[in-house]
Amino acid sequence: MPIPYRFDNSVSTESLRSQYGEIEDGTETGTKTSVAGRLMLRRVQGKLAFGTLADSTGRIQLFAPAKVTPDFDEFTSLHLGDWIGVTGEVMKTRKGELSIRVEEWTVLAKAERQFPDKFHGLADPDMRYRQRYVDLWVTQESRETFILRSKIMSLTRHWLEDRGFMEVETPILHPIPGGALAKPFSTHHNALDSELFLRIAPELYLKRLVAGGFERVFEIGRVFRNEGMSTRHNPEFTMLELYQAYADYSDIMVLVEDLVQYLCLELHGTTTLGYGDRELDLSAPWRRATMVELIAEQTGKSVALDMDMAELGSVAKGFGVELKESYGPGKIILEIYERTVEGKMWDPVFVTDYPKEVSPLSRDHRSKPGFTERFEGIVAGRELCNAFSELIDPAEQRARFEDQAKQKAEGDDEAMVVDEDYLRAMEYGLPPTGGLGIGMDRLVMLLANVQTIRDVVLFPTLRPE
């Protein structure tokens, strides 16, 4: 049987179920239709065969009597996973199964590898990630997760656009790495004979656009960090970054909690979700607490930037923090927080007021010397987002870049370098601005009740086979 170049599938299985799902058992509609998809199940009872046809929207039964279905023997010899196109009458069997009586059929593609059946699926997680094109057919939860992911991206875009944000695209290849503290991937551009870096964040380009007069901008796109992999980390991942002129980090907190609450209600009809074996309340408003307050609350130990360094170091070592000579008090406090607090917080909290030492792009706190107006949103013990009142003073930004460059020269491969063009943009004037980065993969994990990032990334990074 020759493979056709195209097939007129007039409807989806979902639309058939929507239109005919409630007809009475044993009904013949008299309506002929054409559908296409994979043959996922098949059983033969003498001169009668049944199959399950799956397309991108769902599944429907195929009802194939030998006296009606042409080339019946060939039909019953089809392999699981074969793509077929079927034309016939929509009906419901006496046992109540909505079906298509197979009056015409054609093979659209042969499955030349053995296709898993729905009862066994792909038990090996590594195979699921490597062969996502099979996993999506045999693991319904996987398909539903990626449909949910698509909805989250679409809803987020429309929600931001409704609030006056404009979606933009900025370069993925950067002449110098910047916008976050991370180790970049590098490549070489032959025509320019220069080293380029896959972006670790779009931040500095987006803030150039704010300086250029676009007061509310956002980008949803891939960023790349040459770091380890875990249940929460993939070397390439999807980030939402946005910047809002005339706003500060308090405004951005409201934006984050409102966005997450909106997504919960749109997707699930509630803000109380199950995550793992616990309940999670994502309703606004979320708790606000400073990093220093949370350390004291969790450990009973008070820490401060003006503590004696020996005393602060002793506290850190008591919690198992390994100190480096380059650590100042701000970095030590951050290490204590990450070791003792972050993973233990469950319901959403905005952890505010990060030390200036670890926040090179954040604006100085208006009333707390040595701290910045920065927060991270922590949900279920994991960082969901990072946000600032953005630093807008070019002289201060230059000093911080130079300090970062010094750290890089001393061996910190995650530190930043001096970005002269960004400083030039700031010198033209950057208004008060609130900025935000949300890890969209982690947001999908929360809203889909998934525990590992590989289950929400269609093709996660894996070791070579």
Side-chain angles (χ1 to χ4, degrees):
M1 183 180 295
I3 303 294
Y5 281 80
R6 63 185 305 278
F7 182 80
D8 285 319
N9 55 320
S10 55
V11 295
S12 66
T13 60
E14 181 182 51
S15 63
L16 288 174
R17 290 198 173 278
S18 175
Q19 186 173 358
Y20 299 106
E22 301 303 318
I23 63 175
E24 294 184 2
D25 297 353
T27 299
E28 297 183 353
T29 64
T31 300
K32 184 177 286 192
T33 192
S34 297
V35 294
R38 280 194 191 271
L39 183 67
M40 299 302 293
L41 289 172
R42 186 195 64 243
R43 67 184 190 278
V44 182
Q45 299 174 351
K47 293 297 184 180
L48 180 62
F50 297 90
T52 297
L53 185 78
D55 65 7
S56 63
T57 68
R59 302 186 176 205
I60 195 166
Q61 178 170 274
L62 302 179
F63 179 78
K67 63 182 179 181
V68 173
T69 303
D71 301 314
F72 180 78
D73 290 339
E74 291 183 32
F75 182 84
T76 59
S77 299
L78 289 169
H79 296 156
L80 294 184
D82 284 351
W83 291 84
I84 61 174
V86 171
T87 300
E89 183 179 0
V90 180
M91 56 170 289
K92 184 173 277 190
T93 66
R94 287 192 295 272
K95 292 186 177 180
E97 189 66 43
L98 187 66
S99 307
I100 295 176
R101 181 186 288 116
V102 181
E103 299 169 13
E104 300 175 40
W105 66 278
T106 187
V107 174
L108 301 176
K110 296 293 294 182
E112 297 184 6
R113 289 178 177 264
Q114 184 173 351
F115 212 87
D117 63 43
K118 77 167 189 177
F119 300 107
H120 298 95
L122 291 175
D124 180 0
D126 186 71
M127 188 177 294
R128 287 185 57 214
Y129 304 139
R130 292 187 189 278
Q131 299 183 24
R132 186 71 82 186
Y133 37 85
V134 179
D135 174 53
L136 291 171
W137 286 105
V138 300
T139 311
Q140 184 62 24
E141 295 84 357
S142 182
R143 177 179 288 271
E144 291 171 354
T145 293
F146 290 108
I147 292 172
L148 184 75
R149 180 187 176 109
S150 178
K151 291 178 180 177
I152 289 169
M153 300 300 176
S154 177
L155 288 168
T156 298
R157 283 186 164 93
H158 290 133
W159 190 87
L160 289 170
E161 289 167 349
D162 287 346
R163 283 151 185 79
F165 285 86
M166 180 176 72
E167 184 171 12
V168 297
E169 295 175 300
T170 62
I172 290 176
L173 291 174
H174 289 188
I176 58 175
L181 299 175
K183 184 177 180 180
F185 289 93
S186 64
T187 187
H188 185 81
H189 190 286
N190 292 335
L192 295 177
D193 191 23
S194 63
E195 187 178 23
L196 294 174
F197 302 88
L198 293 178
R199 68 179 176 194
I200 56 178
E203 175 167 344
L204 300 186
Y205 282 94
L206 291 171
K207 285 192 285 192
R208 286 173 170 90
L209 296 179
V210 177
F214 290 148
E215 296 175 357
R216 296 189 180 204
V217 293
F218 77 95
E219 182 170 10
I220 298 176
R222 289 286 194 175
V223 296
F224 308 85
R225 300 184 183 180
N226 199 353
E227 300 168 342
M229 296 187 292
S230 72
T231 57
R232 291 178 286 172
H233 298 92
N234 195 61
E236 57 175 310
F237 59 98
T238 300
M239 181 79 79
L240 160 66
E241 285 217 14
L242 64 82
Y243 293 86
Q244 179 177 339
Y246 320 123
D248 66 7
Y249 76 149
S250 297
D251 298 304
I252 302 301
M253 290 182 209
V254 174
L255 184 149
V256 170
E257 63 195 5
D258 285 352
L259 171 60
V260 174
Q261 178 174 265
Y262 163 78
L263 292 172
C264 288
L265 292 172
E266 284 292 309
L267 296 168
H268 300 296
T270 178
T271 57
T272 302
L273 308 178
Y275 190 68
D277 58 0
R278 295 181 63 180
E279 193 173 82
L280 187 62
D281 182 4
L282 294 171
S283 61
W286 295 2
R287 183 188 177 194
R288 281 97 162 126
T290 70
M291 179 181 291
V292 169
E293 289 170 347
L294 288 166
I295 291 172
E297 181 182 295
Q298 189 68 40
T299 70
K301 297 283 188 179
S302 295
V303 296
L305 289 176
D306 58 1
M307 282 179 68
D308 177 79
M309 281 292 287
E311 181 184 358
L312 184 59
S314 177
V315 172
K317 290 177 182 177
F319 293 121
V321 174
E322 294 184 10
L323 300 179
K324 298 181 180 179
E325 288 187 11
S326 60
Y327 286 4
K331 176 64 171 174
I332 294 174
I333 288 174
L334 175 65
E335 292 289 327
I336 292 172
Y337 157 78
E338 291 183 343
R339 178 61 64 94
T340 63
V341 179
E342 184 174 276
K344 297 179 181 178
M345 293 184 290
W346 184 255
D347 284 322
V349 59
F350 291 126
V351 182
T352 67
D353 305 348
Y354 276 59
K356 181 176 178 178
E357 179 185 346
V358 295
S359 308
L361 298 171
S362 306
R363 193 168 183 176
D364 285 351
H365 198 286
R366 66 195 73 184
S367 61
K368 298 178 181 179
F371 291 93
T372 62
E373 295 197 350
R374 172 186 173 189
F375 74 83
E376 288 188 359
I378 307 298
V379 186
R382 298 174 177 178
E383 175 195 342
L384 177 66
C385 63
N386 188 23
F388 322 139
S389 296
E390 300 295 330
L391 180 57
I392 62 172
D393 180 346
E396 172 69 11
Q397 184 66 79
R398 178 177 292 278
R400 295 203 201 170
F401 275 157
E402 289 174 349
D403 179 64
Q404 285 285 306
K406 180 173 179 288
Q407 294 179 40
K408 181 174 282 290
E410 293 172 350
D412 185 349
D413 56 12
E414 294 187 352
M416 298 182 190
V417 297
V418 179
D419 188 332
E420 291 290 351
D421 181 69
Y422 177 64
L423 291 170
R424 179 169 56 192
M426 292 184 73
E427 289 165 356
Y428 279 102
L430 180 66
T433 300
L436 167 70
I438 295 181
M440 295 302 286
D441 308 289
R442 293 186 184 179
L443 180 58
V444 175
M445 288 169 65
L446 280 175
L447 298 179
N449 190 13
V450 169
Q451 305 302 311
T452 173
I453 194 171
R454 290 182 176 182
D455 284 336
V456 300
V457 175
L458 279 166
F459 298 103
T461 304
L462 302 169
R463 292 186 184 278
E465 289 187 87

